[in-house]
Amino acid sequence: MSASRRSGTTDELGPDEPERAGPVGPDGSDLLAALLDGMDAALCAFDAGGVVTHWNREAERILGWTAAEAVGRHGFAGWAVRPADAEEVERRLMSAMEAPGRQVHEFALLTKDGGRVLVRTQSAAVRGPDGKPAGVYCAFSEVHAQIDLERSIALSEALFEDASWGVVLVDADLRPAVVNAHAARALGIGRTSALGRPLGELLAQGVEELESALTHVLAEGAPPAPAEIWVSVRTPEGDQRRCWRCGFVRLASPLAEEPVPLGVAWLFQDVTEGKQGEQEAALLRFRTNQLHRAARAAAECEDPGEAATVHLDFALAGFADHALIDRVAGGAVADGAAEGPVRLVRVATTPSGAPGPSLLTGQAGLPVRYGQGHPALQCVERAGSVRASVGAVPAEQAREWALARQWPEDAVHALCAVLRSRGRTLGVVTFLRGSGRSQFERVDAVYAEDVAVRIAAALDLAGVVGR
């Protein structure tokens, strides 16, 4: 408790007031006592003669001396400081009466049980009604607690100014409340422009997954490990797909009696390049393994034509939805030896309905009705890979595009790789993807060319042995 007039202690820092006649409400001393005892910092006050006039509960907690034991003592000498330090401590504290503003000092105080506590004090003069110094108030706290507070403040400021990862404080409504400089750059927006806006306005894709994570943290607390979330960020050049490694911390008010969620601290780092590297490495391992398995299986085929379809089936896994092999009508063509336009005969294709092994066709030797400029014909003419895609068009128009090229109606992306063996062009292998997959990239063309080399060798052998 704090000293008050009800306890019989004279308040020497303010003018005398008459006692109230009855319990009509708290008087000034009651309010002062409540304010002092509710403070998080320890506080004591001295009159102009250096006598302790106020002592709150936090001061009692730190040093162990009660208000009844502290109020009325002259300075700290003989009880709260060592005798050797008493004069220096009193001089520092009372010097605040003559100094402008607040004075900050550090010194050791004694606890009631004889221990020592290093405290940091802030002292300032208390003015009387005439404006002259009437005493000194002194707020103090343990140095380690003060340092912890300063570290927390310094950490907060550093996170929002100099951190090399994004930091966003999201309120309970899942709207950004504070955004640091790194996060603003990652989102492609100004720090103040992002405040209070729904996440859906800041990200083109990935909002649902992010909001689900934030909602979980608000309800259950922080996850045990970081989460990797793919998002699309709007930029002047278009949407950019990024992978962010995210950490989440639930924020609760330290002032509430029960934990009240203030929001979530969302920290993220862009790991797109590393993640793409991991995916590419995993894809390369898988495709290399598929080529190895296909070679082992094809080596056991007595019919070279069957070996060609084995290579096609193994290549199809995880790579495309459909595939087909067209062979040059009339046999292989040496470079520059073709007379007239090249015609292609379908020799193998994947089933159009349920999945299954590729089927050998083309026994009748009838050419496929490919129109001029067809990707397969371009592939033969160039002796190199050709990619084609229908683009962003309505479904019916995409269906017409595929059927016009003699492909399954759900095909929207195509990759044609030339079949070459012994310096001659044997035909074309075509891989097709539906709308659920992305279009073929250069790395896909390299893989298709590896498969085409093996298929071409098998077809060339089939021609030599007459199969």
Side-chain angles (χ1 to χ4, degrees), residues 16 67 99 135 153 160 270 282 303 339 354 373 376:
D16 293 335
I153 295 173
F160 287 105
D270 195 318
D303 182 359
E339 297 181 0

Side-chain angles (χ1 to χ4, degrees), residues 11-344:
D11 185 352
E12 301 187 19
L13 298 185
D16 293 335
E17 296 180 2
E19 295 289 340
R20 296 183 184 271
V24 296
D27 60 15
S29 61
D30 292 328
L31 178 59
L32 178 60
L35 290 174
L36 294 180
D37 288 341
M39 295 177 62
D40 292 331
L43 186 137
C44 63
F46 304 87
D47 63 12
V51 176
V52 178
T53 61
H54 293 79
W55 189 266
N56 73 347
R57 288 185 179 178
E58 184 64 12
E60 178 181 342
R61 185 193 68 79
I62 294 176
L63 298 181
W65 302 96
T66 66
E69 295 170 320
V71 173
R73 291 179 181 265
H74 186 279
F76 288 149
W79 62 288
V81 295
R82 297 188 308 171
D85 300 332
E87 183 178 350
E88 175 67 15
V89 170
E90 183 175 356
R91 183 186 63 79
R92 289 187 181 184
L93 290 176
M94 300 310 293
S95 66
M97 290 181 61
E98 307 299 333
R102 292 180 298 176
Q103 303 292 308
V104 179
H105 302 287
E106 289 185 5
F107 43 75
L109 297 180
L110 295 179
T111 63
K112 187 175 182 179
D113 58 9
R116 298 183 69 194
V117 177
L118 184 63
V119 299
R120 177 174 295 174
T121 67
Q122 295 187 36
S123 54
V126 177
R127 305 288 174 179
D130 57 0
K132 296 181 179 180
V136 174
Y137 82 84
C138 173
F140 63 91
S141 60
E142 297 174 81
V143 167
H144 71 82
Q146 183 71 18
I147 292 176
D148 288 345
L149 175 61
E150 291 178 1
R151 284 173 178 163
S152 297
I153 295 173
L155 174 61
S156 177
E157 292 180 351
L159 285 175
F160 287 105
E161 295 297 336
D162 306 323
S164 59
W165 55 86
V167 181
V168 180
L169 296 190
V170 182
D171 63 21
D173 293 330
L174 305 186
R175 294 172 182 255
V178 184
V179 178
N180 77 340
H182 187 96
R185 289 192 299 270
L187 291 169
I189 196 172
R191 294 182 63 178
T192 57
S193 301
L195 304 184
R197 298 175 59 180
L199 294 174
E201 295 183 6
L202 306 179
L203 300 173
Q205 293 181 352
V207 177
E208 295 81 3
E209 186 176 359
L210 178 58
E211 289 184 341
S212 175
L214 293 170
T215 302
H216 173 81
V217 174
L218 283 171
E220 305 293 337
E228 292 179 351
I229 300 178
W230 283 93
V231 301
S232 291
V233 181
R234 296 186 178 94
T235 67
E237 295 77 22
D239 294 350
Q240 290 187 355
R241 188 162 170 78
R242 314 300 297 172
C243 181
W244 290 343
R245 181 170 292 146
C246 303
F248 303 94
V249 180
R250 181 169 60 181
L251 303 178
S253 173
L255 304 179
E257 294 182 2
E258 298 182 359
V260 177
L262 294 178
V264 177
W266 167 35
L267 297 85
F268 65 91
Q269 193 171 28
D270 195 318
V271 294
T272 307
E273 293 184 3
K275 198 65 179 177
Q276 288 177 341
E278 293 176 5
Q279 292 177 344
E280 291 172 1
L283 183 62
L284 179 60
R285 287 194 300 270
F286 173 76
R287 290 179 175 178
T288 301
N289 187 47
Q290 286 296 96
L291 290 174
H292 174 73
R293 294 174 59 197
R296 295 279 302 255
E300 302 300 322
C301 296
E302 183 178 353
D303 182 359
E306 182 183 353
T309 61
V310 166
H311 283 292
L312 191 66
D313 292 335
F314 273 93
L316 204 61
F319 182 66
D321 298 314
H322 305 284
L324 49 92
I325 300 174
D326 296 326
R327 190 164 186 172
V328 176
V333 178
D335 294 344
E339 297 181 0
V342 175
R343 296 182 300 169
L344 298 174

Side-chain angles (χ1 to χ4, degrees), residues 316 319-323 350-351 410 432-437:
L316 204 61
F319 182 66
D321 298 314
H322 305 284
T350 52
D410 59 341
L432 302 168
R433 289 177 176 175
S435 57
R437 295 176 181 265

Side-chain angles (χ1 to χ4, degrees), residues 355-374:
S358 299
L359 306 174
L360 290 171
T361 61
Q363 286 79 5
L366 298 177
V368 185
R369 295 179 295 105
Y370 285 154
Q372 186 177 4
H374 191 282

